[in-house]
Amino acid sequence: KLINCLIHFYKRSDTPILPDHLLNTPMEPGQVQKLCTQPIDVAAHLKLLGESLQVIGERLTEHEGQIAVSGSLSVLLDSLLCAMGPLLCLTQMVPELNGAEDETLKQVLDNVAFIMPGL
Protein backbone atom coordinates (compact mmCIF):
# COMPACT_ATOMS: atom_id res chain seq x y z
CA LYS A 1 0.00 0.00 0.00
CA LEU A 2 2.70 2.50 1.00
CA ILE A 3 4.94 1.76 -1.98
CA ASN A 4 2.02 2.40 -4.35
CA CYS A 5 1.31 5.68 -2.54
CA LEU A 6 4.97 6.67 -2.79
CA ILE A 7 5.15 5.85 -6.48
CA HIS A 8 1.95 7.82 -7.16
CA PHE A 9 3.22 10.74 -5.09
CA TYR A 10 6.62 10.90 -6.75
CA LYS A 11 5.27 10.48 -10.26
CA ARG A 12 3.60 13.88 -9.84
CA SER A 13 6.47 15.43 -7.86
CA ASP A 14 8.91 17.90 -9.40
CA THR A 15 11.90 16.19 -7.80
CA PRO A 16 11.41 12.42 -7.76
CA ILE A 17 13.74 10.49 -5.48
CA LEU A 18 12.64 7.02 -6.53
CA PRO A 19 14.62 5.22 -9.25
CA ASP A 20 13.17 5.31 -12.77
CA HIS A 21 12.70 1.54 -12.86
CA LEU A 22 10.20 1.83 -9.96
CA LEU A 23 8.41 4.81 -11.46
CA ASN A 24 7.96 3.22 -14.88
CA THR A 25 7.07 -0.31 -13.80
CA PRO A 26 3.33 -1.01 -14.02
CA MET A 27 2.02 -3.10 -11.16
CA GLU A 28 -0.38 -5.95 -11.81
CA PRO A 29 -3.42 -6.30 -9.52
CA GLY A 30 -2.38 -8.37 -6.52
CA GLN A 31 1.33 -7.90 -7.21
CA VAL A 32 3.35 -7.05 -4.11
CA GLN A 33 6.15 -4.49 -4.33
CA LYS A 34 9.37 -5.57 -2.63
CA LEU A 35 10.05 -3.57 0.52
CA CYS A 36 13.53 -2.19 1.06
CA THR A 37 15.17 -0.71 4.13
CA GLN A 38 17.82 1.47 2.48
CA PRO A 39 18.23 5.18 3.32
CA ILE A 40 16.37 6.18 0.14
CA ASP A 41 13.37 4.20 1.34
CA VAL A 42 13.59 5.83 4.76
CA ALA A 43 13.66 9.24 3.08
CA ALA A 44 10.59 8.33 1.01
CA HIS A 45 8.66 7.23 4.11
CA LEU A 46 9.55 10.40 6.00
CA LYS A 47 8.74 12.59 2.99
CA LEU A 48 5.31 10.98 2.68
CA LEU A 49 4.74 11.38 6.43
CA GLY A 50 5.70 15.06 6.20
CA GLU A 51 3.32 15.63 3.30
CA SER A 52 0.49 13.91 5.19
CA LEU A 53 1.10 16.01 8.29
CA GLN A 54 1.23 19.16 6.19
CA VAL A 55 -2.20 18.37 4.72
CA ILE A 56 -3.57 17.67 8.21
CA GLY A 57 -2.09 20.96 9.45
CA GLU A 58 -3.67 22.90 6.59
CA ARG A 59 -7.05 21.36 7.37
CA LEU A 60 -6.67 22.23 11.05
CA THR A 61 -5.87 25.87 10.29
CA GLU A 62 -9.03 26.09 8.17
CA HIS A 63 -11.12 24.50 10.95
CA GLU A 64 -13.08 26.87 13.11
CA GLY A 65 -13.85 26.02 16.69
CA GLN A 66 -12.22 23.73 19.20
CA ILE A 67 -10.33 20.58 18.33
CA ALA A 68 -10.51 17.48 20.52
CA VAL A 69 -7.29 16.83 22.43
CA SER A 70 -7.72 13.07 22.11
CA GLY A 71 -7.81 13.28 18.30
CA SER A 72 -4.71 15.47 18.22
CA LEU A 73 -2.88 13.16 20.61
CA SER A 74 -3.75 10.16 18.46
CA VAL A 75 -2.34 11.83 15.34
CA LEU A 76 0.83 12.82 17.20
CA LEU A 77 1.41 9.31 18.54
CA ASP A 78 0.73 7.73 15.13
CA SER A 79 3.17 10.22 13.59
CA LEU A 80 5.81 9.30 16.16
CA LEU A 81 5.45 5.61 15.33
CA CYS A 82 5.53 6.36 11.61
CA ALA A 83 8.77 8.31 12.04
CA MET A 84 10.49 5.86 14.39
CA GLY A 85 9.93 2.82 12.18
CA PRO A 86 11.85 4.16 9.18
CA LEU A 87 14.51 5.71 11.41
CA LEU A 88 15.07 2.29 12.94
CA CYS A 89 16.11 1.08 9.48
CA LEU A 90 19.02 3.51 9.54
CA THR A 91 20.60 1.46 12.32
CA GLN A 92 21.65 -1.02 9.61
CA MET A 93 24.16 1.53 8.35
CA VAL A 94 26.18 1.38 11.60
CA PRO A 95 27.37 -2.14 12.47
CA GLU A 96 27.43 -1.44 16.21
CA LEU A 97 23.75 -0.37 16.15
CA ASN A 98 22.44 -3.05 13.81
CA GLY A 99 20.27 -4.98 16.24
CA ALA A 100 17.39 -6.08 14.03
CA GLU A 101 17.25 -8.42 11.08
CA ASP A 102 16.34 -7.11 7.65
CA GLU A 103 13.06 -9.06 7.58
CA THR A 104 12.01 -7.51 10.90
CA LEU A 105 12.70 -4.02 9.59
CA LYS A 106 10.74 -4.74 6.40
CA GLN A 107 7.81 -5.90 8.53
CA VAL A 108 8.01 -2.67 10.55
CA LEU A 109 7.90 -0.57 7.37
CA ASP A 110 4.96 -2.59 6.09
CA ASN A 111 3.07 -2.11 9.35
CA VAL A 112 3.76 1.62 9.41
CA ALA A 113 1.82 1.98 6.17
CA PHE A 114 -1.40 1.06 7.94
CA ILE A 115 -1.18 3.68 10.69
CA MET A 116 0.21 6.62 8.75
CA PRO A 117 -2.00 9.63 9.48
CA GLY A 118 -3.80 11.23 6.58
CA LEU A 119 -3.64 8.31 4.15
Side-chain angles (χ1 to χ4, degrees):
K1 174 184 170 186
L2 182 64
I3 296 297
N4 288 336
C5 292
L6 291 172
I7 290 173
H8 174 73
F9 175 76
Y10 287 107
K11 277 186 177 179
R12 61 184 175 84
S13 175
D14 293 334
T15 56
I17 62 171
L18 291 176
D20 286 338
H21 72 278
L22 284 180
L23 292 174
N24 298 323
T25 304
M27 293 202 46
E28 300 290 327
Q31 181 182 2
V32 177
Q33 182 70 36
K34 183 179 174 184
L35 287 175
C36 298
T37 57
Q38 297 300 312
I40 190 75
D41 303 301
V42 172
H45 278 269
L46 294 176
K47 175 77 172 172
L48 187 59
L49 176 62
E51 292 288 329
S52 295
L53 291 175
Q54 182 179 0
V55 169
I56 291 171
E58 289 171 359
R59 289 182 189 155
L60 287 175
T61 55
E62 295 170 357
H63 179 75
E64 295 183 14
Q66 294 183 345
I67 299 170
V69 173
S70 61
S72 300
L73 186 61
S74 176
V75 170
L76 288 174
L77 291 175
D78 288 350
S79 301
L80 177 67
L81 284 174
C82 289
M84 292 303 294
L87 290 174
L88 187 61
C89 295
L90 292 178
T91 61
Q92 288 182 315
M93 301 297 114
V94 181
E96 292 83 9
L97 297 177
N98 191 7
E101 295 181 14
D102 193 51
E103 287 303 315
T104 303
L105 295 173
K106 288 178 182 178
Q107 185 67 38
V108 167
L109 288 181
D110 189 39
N111 291 337
V112 161
F114 293 104
I115 60 169
M116 186 169 292
L119 287 183

